[in-house]
Amino acid sequence: MTPAVQPGHAAYGPGRPHRRAEDRWLERWLETCSDLARLQYSHPMVDAVIDEIDGRMIRIGERWLADFASCNYLGLDLDRSVIEAVPAYLDRWGTHPSWSRLLGSPVLYEQLESELTELVGAEDALALPTITLIHMTVIPVLAGSGTIFLDSRAHKTMFDGCSVARGHGATVLRFRHADPGDLERLLRAETEPPRVICMDGVNSMTGNAPDLAAFAQLAREHDALLYVDDAHGFGVIGERSPQELCDYGMRGNSIVRHQGESYENIVLVAGLSKAYSSLLAFVACPTQLKQILKTAAPPYLYSGPSPVASLATALEGLRVNAERGDELRARMHRMAWRVLDGLAEFGIVTPNTTGYPIIEVPLHDPDDIDEVGRYLFDHGIYATMAAYPLVPKNEVGFRLQVTASNTDEQVTHLLLTLHGLAERFRMRPGAAQASLARHTG
Ligand SMILES: Cc1ncc(COP(=O)(O)O)c(C=O)c1O
């Protein structure tokens, strides 16, 4: 693999040249980021350059690896019918609209927003390029100079959105992760309205989901708005039905529908850059709020739009989802459970209690992370490394994601590698019973 900065590169390390006085700002800045810089070149799976892909196999330098770091849950990035549909959209619309949405939205957006609205069952939806942009701009609008109640393990982009809101005059209070009791304690105290509760749906590390009903009830009781980021649930979990092929539910229409909740006092944010392999995201909300956000939240007016290819893959992805999404989810479900059962058998702990396809493996000793990463890489497994300082020391480990386009052979190979890993490294104890119990229960 080719690290972005080679060991011995002038950026750090013993070979670093003496800097001129006018470059000292750079020196100081490099010192501040030295943990991250070391990480960048000590882990073959951090900041890697991918030379080639073949299905869910990727080539880095000379090595082919099975990719368990992809978030393309439905495998639409590789779907021939989606790929082949894109040129016709490019012929009609060119590669990029370039107008900000307020200046001119290709009619494709109308179609997307109405399909997304119907799918998630909300009153309306506003599409913007990314969830990050949505958090940074919509949370400050919703919170104004009121109070934000922020889940302490919310995604970094949500934290950042809340920081922007703080800069605009909001107060930010944090409650214990997924703990409605702790949130209630904060809600009972005197706080400035409007009140916004910010939390993730399916958690991007643990693969678990909060008890939305409990949080929604608190929001309604305390005249607050529940703002939920379901980047990882959208496309994966959906409404429950006697016809469902697996307990992810049907249609992949996200956590609110999966848990049988209504949208009263709930704003759902989800993205298409994971399950739908497209640079697009949306806020599901009442039409009146959508109209306000068009002018009050900057991206609709000030940011560039998603490229046409992404609008095309989003629309075609929604078509595939309607045609055979549930089969893709059933396939993902089956392979995710193969991995979870294997971990349980090898005594490797994971916090995943849902069976959703995000499987975190925390290490017993965070100092093993370099060797574990190297072991996985050398055995042809590509995973997301959660190394310090990206995560706190007690959460250091790696994350595996299973997509519909991984193969059973790749899962078998992963299991053999994990078995070897468990023999070689000390893993956290206590996984086996927990995992097997949840499978049989
Ligand atoms: C929970 C969560 N929210 C937001 C994001 C960022 O999404 P986007 O790429 O659409 O900005 C991610 C991406 O990893 C995520 O996991």
Side-chain angles (χ1 to χ4, degrees), residues 130-132 155 157 200 204 229 231-232 273-274:
T130 66
I131 298 182
T132 305
H155 193 259
T157 51
D200 288 345
S204 62
D229 170 351
H232 292 269
S273 77
K274 301 193 189 307

Coordinates of all heavy atoms in Angstrom, one line a residue, residues 130-132 155 157 200 204 229 231-232 273-274, ligand 1:
T130 N -25.3 16.5 1.6 CA -24.7 15.6 2.6 C -25.4 15.8 4.0 O -25.9 16.9 4.2 CB -23.2 15.7 2.8 OG1 -23.0 17.0 3.4 CG2 -22.4 15.6 1.5
I131 N -25.3 14.8 4.8 CA -25.8 14.9 6.2 C -24.9 15.9 6.9 O -25.5 16.7 7.7 CB -25.7 13.5 6.9 CG1 -26.6 12.5 6.2 CG2 -26.1 13.7 8.3 CD1 -26.7 11.2 6.9
T132 N -23.7 15.9 6.7 CA -22.8 16.9 7.4 C -23.3 18.3 7.1 O -23.4 19.1 8.1 CB -21.3 16.8 6.9 OG1 -20.9 15.4 7.0 CG2 -20.4 17.6 7.6
H155 N -22.9 11.1 16.5 CA -21.9 11.2 15.5 C -21.2 12.5 15.5 O -21.8 13.6 15.8 CB -22.5 10.9 14.1 CG -21.5 10.7 13.0 ND1 -21.1 11.6 12.1 CD2 -20.8 9.5 12.7 CE1 -20.2 11.1 11.3 NE2 -20.0 9.8 11.6
T157 N -20.3 14.6 13.3 CA -20.9 15.6 12.5 C -22.1 16.3 13.2 O -22.3 17.5 13.0 CB -21.4 15.1 11.1 OG1 -22.2 14.0 11.3 CG2 -20.2 14.6 10.2
D200 N -28.4 9.8 17.3 CA -28.3 9.0 16.1 C -29.4 7.9 16.1 O -29.9 7.6 17.2 CB -27.0 8.1 16.2 CG -25.8 9.0 15.8 OD1 -25.9 10.1 15.3 OD2 -24.6 8.5 16.1
S204 N -23.3 4.3 14.3 CA -22.3 4.0 13.3 C -21.1 3.1 13.8 O -20.4 2.6 13.0 CB -21.7 5.3 12.7 OG -21.0 6.0 13.8
D229 N -30.5 11.3 13.3 CA -29.6 11.0 12.2 C -29.6 9.5 12.0 O -28.9 8.7 12.7 CB -28.2 11.5 12.5 CG -27.2 11.1 11.4 OD1 -27.5 10.2 10.6 OD2 -26.0 11.6 11.5
A231 N -28.2 7.7 9.3 CA -27.4 7.5 8.2 C -27.2 6.0 7.9 O -27.2 5.6 6.8 CB -26.0 8.1 8.4
H232 N -27.1 5.2 9.0 CA -26.8 3.8 8.8 C -28.1 2.9 8.8 O -28.0 1.7 8.5 CB -25.8 3.3 9.9 CG -24.5 3.9 9.7 ND1 -23.5 3.3 8.9 CD2 -24.0 5.1 10.1 CE1 -22.4 4.0 8.9 NE2 -22.7 5.1 9.6
S273 N -25.6 8.3 0.8 CA -24.2 8.0 0.5 C -23.8 6.7 1.0 O -22.7 6.2 0.7 CB -23.3 9.2 0.9 OG -23.1 9.0 2.3
K274 N -24.6 6.0 1.8 CA -24.3 4.7 2.3 C -25.1 3.7 1.5 O -24.7 3.2 0.5 CB -24.5 4.6 3.8 CG -23.6 5.7 4.5 CD -23.4 5.6 6.0 CE -22.7 6.7 6.6 NZ -21.5 7.1 6.0
Ligands
LIG1 C1 -24.1 8.7 11.7 C2 -23.5 9.5 10.6 N1 -23.9 10.7 10.3 C3 -23.4 11.5 9.3 C4 -22.4 11.0 8.5 C5 -21.9 11.9 7.4 O1 -22.7 11.7 6.3 P1 -22.4 12.5 5.0 O2 -21.3 11.8 4.3 O3 -23.7 12.5 4.2 O4 -22.1 13.9 5.4 C6 -21.9 9.7 8.7 C7 -20.8 9.2 7.8 O5 -20.1 8.4 8.1 C8 -22.5 8.9 9.8 O6 -22.0 7.7 10.0

